[in-house]
Structure formats: C-alpha cells, structure tokens
Amino acid sequence: MSVVCQNLKYLRKQKGWTQQEFADKLGIKRSLLGAYEEERAEPRTEVLEQVSDMFRVSIDDLLRRDLGSQKDSFLEKRRQQKLGNARQAIQFVPVKAAAGYLAGYNDDEFIEELNTFTLPMLGAGDYRAFEIAGDSMLPVPSGSVIVCHKVDGWEEIKNNETYVVVTSREGIVFKRVLKSNRAKSRITLVSDNPQFEPYPVEMEEVLELWQSDAVISKSNQQSRMSVNHLADMVSHLQDQVSLLKKKIKD
C-alpha cells in the first residue's frame, strides 16, 4: 500500500470515523475514499489539502512519511491515549446495522467501523450498545439503546435478568432470559409485555449474549401507559414467570 493511502486510513481510524463519515467530511463519495484506502486510486490535491488542514499534517508528510510509525508524533500519542481508553469504549449497533451485525459480529474490521461512545458510570469491560425496535419490552420504548456487557455461555446467565440475545434464527432481540438446570441446551426468552408469548431458543442458535447494564431513551420516547394498564401488565408478567418456573421445575 502506498504511504498516502495508508496514512488516510490511519488518520480516519484515529478519529474513530467510518468511511462514510470521513467521506462526508471530505465532500466525496464513500466508494472513492475506499478506492483511496485500497490503493485503487490516488487522492486528488484538493483532498490532500483538506486532510492536511483537518489533521494539521503537511502534505509532504502525507505523501512521504508513514504517520502510524512515528512513535513520538502527536498522532501516535493520541493513538496510545485512545488505546488506553479502548476497554471502556462502547460500540453502538443501530437497528439499521442489525443485519450486518449478524454477519460481522466476530469480524474485527466490521466492529471497528461501528461508532463508539463512553459512559462515566461504567468501568473497564467488554461493552456494546444495541438499539431496539418494537413493543415487546414495554415500558422500555422502541428506539431505546440498551448498554450491555458480554456474557460467555450458559453458566454466566442470571435467571430472569434482561439480555440482548443475538441468535442465528431470531436476529437481535432484547428479552428476559429463563434457564433450567435440567435443560442446559435451551433458554426461554420472555417479553415484559404480556401480549408477547415466551419462546424457547436452543443454545446452539445463540451467537452472543449481552447482559443489560443501562437503558438510554429520549424523553419523547417514554411510554404513555396508564397506571392501571401498567399494573395489569406487571401482574400478568408475574403470573407468567411463576408458571414458567413451575414448568421448569417439573
């Protein structure tokens, strides 16, 4: 890869931008930026001038120096600072990226392209945030973002807690998880909205499990249910969970 192409990709990743975000800032098409980074085209002079101004790097350095190898440079120091905070970075998976996530959840390149953010109340850990859609977990409204930490396997599942479950058959869902010591090959997914029936999922279909730590929603997304409706929902859910637990014990 030519030095300038390598530098464009390096600088973009220092900012945590996707190719689309960087292309928008440069006023070019994402496909053209991809061609630059993959050395299928040489960046035009006006593009180099924009990058030079944006990152305060000379055009000569862009063309001749491998910025990623300058250990004492400002960019390297920023990279090290970012790596130092990387364990707290939360990758965000919006609804529109759900299909792509199923194919790229274990692809480092795909995960790196996701936007990230941090929350001050969370310490170091493996976090991810998923935007949810639908009313199955009311009063958590559709459009909310569920911040989660990674759970590795059946043994770490806490009964009746909420999880984002990534499965090969159902995709990405936000549910309560029930498990039985007698059937470790299966979990039951339960909605907080009693209008949705619980259903079993085989563990072999589960690609990832993320236990929820926080729910982020806009003020205008708050559910407008009456107190009576909410009370009926809670009562119905309690009956449903009790019945399920009884079936599991039997």
PDB file of all heavy atoms in Angstrom, residues 10 33 102 110 148 228 233 241:
ATOM      1  N   TYR A  10      -5.129   5.394   8.293  1.00  0.00           N
ATOM      2  CA  TYR A  10      -4.636   5.556   9.660  1.00  0.00           C
ATOM      3  C   TYR A  10      -5.278   6.766  10.339  1.00  0.00           C
ATOM      4  O   TYR A  10      -5.762   6.679  11.473  1.00  0.00           O
ATOM      5  CB  TYR A  10      -3.115   5.706   9.629  1.00  0.00           C
ATOM      6  CG  TYR A  10      -2.502   6.072  10.963  1.00  0.00           C
ATOM      7  CD1 TYR A  10      -2.364   5.124  11.970  1.00  0.00           C
ATOM      8  CD2 TYR A  10      -2.068   7.380  11.219  1.00  0.00           C
ATOM      9  CE1 TYR A  10      -1.803   5.450  13.195  1.00  0.00           C
ATOM     10  CE2 TYR A  10      -1.514   7.714  12.441  1.00  0.00           C
ATOM     11  CZ  TYR A  10      -1.380   6.754  13.422  1.00  0.00           C
ATOM     12  OH  TYR A  10      -0.839   7.086  14.631  1.00  0.00           O
ATOM     13  N   LEU A  33     -13.400   7.159  -1.373  1.00  0.00           N
ATOM     14  CA  LEU A  33     -12.490   7.053  -0.230  1.00  0.00           C
ATOM     15  C   LEU A  33     -11.991   5.616  -0.094  1.00  0.00           C
ATOM     16  O   LEU A  33     -10.812   5.380   0.186  1.00  0.00           O
ATOM     17  CB  LEU A  33     -13.193   7.489   1.056  1.00  0.00           C
ATOM     18  CG  LEU A  33     -12.366   7.350   2.336  1.00  0.00           C
ATOM     19  CD1 LEU A  33     -11.118   8.227   2.282  1.00  0.00           C
ATOM     20  CD2 LEU A  33     -13.193   7.690   3.572  1.00  0.00           C
ATOM     21  N   LEU A 102     -25.148  -9.413  12.259  1.00  0.00           N
ATOM     22  CA  LEU A 102     -25.254 -10.872  12.294  1.00  0.00           C
ATOM     23  C   LEU A 102     -24.153 -11.524  11.468  1.00  0.00           C
ATOM     24  O   LEU A 102     -23.677 -12.610  11.798  1.00  0.00           O
ATOM     25  CB  LEU A 102     -26.626 -11.314  11.779  1.00  0.00           C
ATOM     26  CG  LEU A 102     -27.828 -10.971  12.664  1.00  0.00           C
ATOM     27  CD1 LEU A 102     -29.106 -11.450  12.001  1.00  0.00           C
ATOM     28  CD2 LEU A 102     -27.682 -11.595  14.044  1.00  0.00           C
ATOM     29  N   PHE A 110     -15.255  -5.149  10.917  1.00  0.00           N
ATOM     30  CA  PHE A 110     -16.630  -4.648  10.983  1.00  0.00           C
ATOM     31  C   PHE A 110     -16.873  -3.926  12.302  1.00  0.00           C
ATOM     32  O   PHE A 110     -17.460  -2.840  12.328  1.00  0.00           O
ATOM     33  CB  PHE A 110     -17.624  -5.806  10.833  1.00  0.00           C
ATOM     34  CG  PHE A 110     -19.059  -5.408  11.024  1.00  0.00           C
ATOM     35  CD1 PHE A 110     -19.794  -4.859   9.977  1.00  0.00           C
ATOM     36  CD2 PHE A 110     -19.690  -5.564  12.259  1.00  0.00           C
ATOM     37  CE1 PHE A 110     -21.115  -4.472  10.158  1.00  0.00           C
ATOM     38  CE2 PHE A 110     -21.004  -5.175  12.452  1.00  0.00           C
ATOM     39  CZ  PHE A 110     -21.723  -4.632  11.390  1.00  0.00           C
ATOM     40  N   CYS A 148     -24.837  -2.973  27.291  1.00  0.00           N
ATOM     41  CA  CYS A 148     -24.667  -4.313  27.865  1.00  0.00           C
ATOM     42  C   CYS A 148     -23.189  -4.682  28.010  1.00  0.00           C
ATOM     43  O   CYS A 148     -22.319  -4.079  27.381  1.00  0.00           O
ATOM     44  CB  CYS A 148     -25.297  -5.368  26.962  1.00  0.00           C
ATOM     45  SG  CYS A 148     -26.826  -4.901  26.130  1.00  0.00           S
ATOM     46  N   ASN A 228     -53.157   1.789  35.505  1.00  0.00           N
ATOM     47  CA  ASN A 228     -53.902   0.530  35.548  1.00  0.00           C
ATOM     48  C   ASN A 228     -53.360  -0.470  34.523  1.00  0.00           C
ATOM     49  O   ASN A 228     -53.230  -1.665  34.813  1.00  0.00           O
ATOM     50  CB  ASN A 228     -55.388   0.789  35.278  1.00  0.00           C
ATOM     51  CG  ASN A 228     -56.063   1.487  36.443  1.00  0.00           C
ATOM     52  OD1 ASN A 228     -55.591   1.421  37.587  1.00  0.00           O
ATOM     53  ND2 ASN A 228     -57.162   2.171  36.182  1.00  0.00           N
ATOM     54  N   MET A 233     -50.160  -5.273  33.472  1.00  0.00           N
ATOM     55  CA  MET A 233     -49.045  -5.879  32.767  1.00  0.00           C
ATOM     56  C   MET A 233     -48.094  -6.560  33.742  1.00  0.00           C
ATOM     57  O   MET A 233     -47.645  -7.695  33.519  1.00  0.00           O
ATOM     58  CB  MET A 233     -48.290  -4.807  31.965  1.00  0.00           C
ATOM     59  CG  MET A 233     -47.083  -5.338  31.213  1.00  0.00           C
ATOM     60  SD  MET A 233     -46.197  -4.052  30.307  1.00  0.00           S
ATOM     61  CE  MET A 233     -47.381  -3.675  29.038  1.00  0.00           C
ATOM     62  N   VAL A 241     -44.293 -15.648  34.676  1.00  0.00           N
ATOM     63  CA  VAL A 241     -42.990 -16.113  35.144  1.00  0.00           C
ATOM     64  C   VAL A 241     -43.148 -17.252  36.145  1.00  0.00           C
ATOM     65  O   VAL A 241     -42.421 -18.244  36.111  1.00  0.00           O
ATOM     66  CB  VAL A 241     -42.192 -14.946  35.776  1.00  0.00           C
ATOM     67  CG1 VAL A 241     -40.937 -15.466  36.468  1.00  0.00           C
ATOM     68  CG2 VAL A 241     -41.820 -13.926  34.710  1.00  0.00           C
TER      69      VAL A 241
END
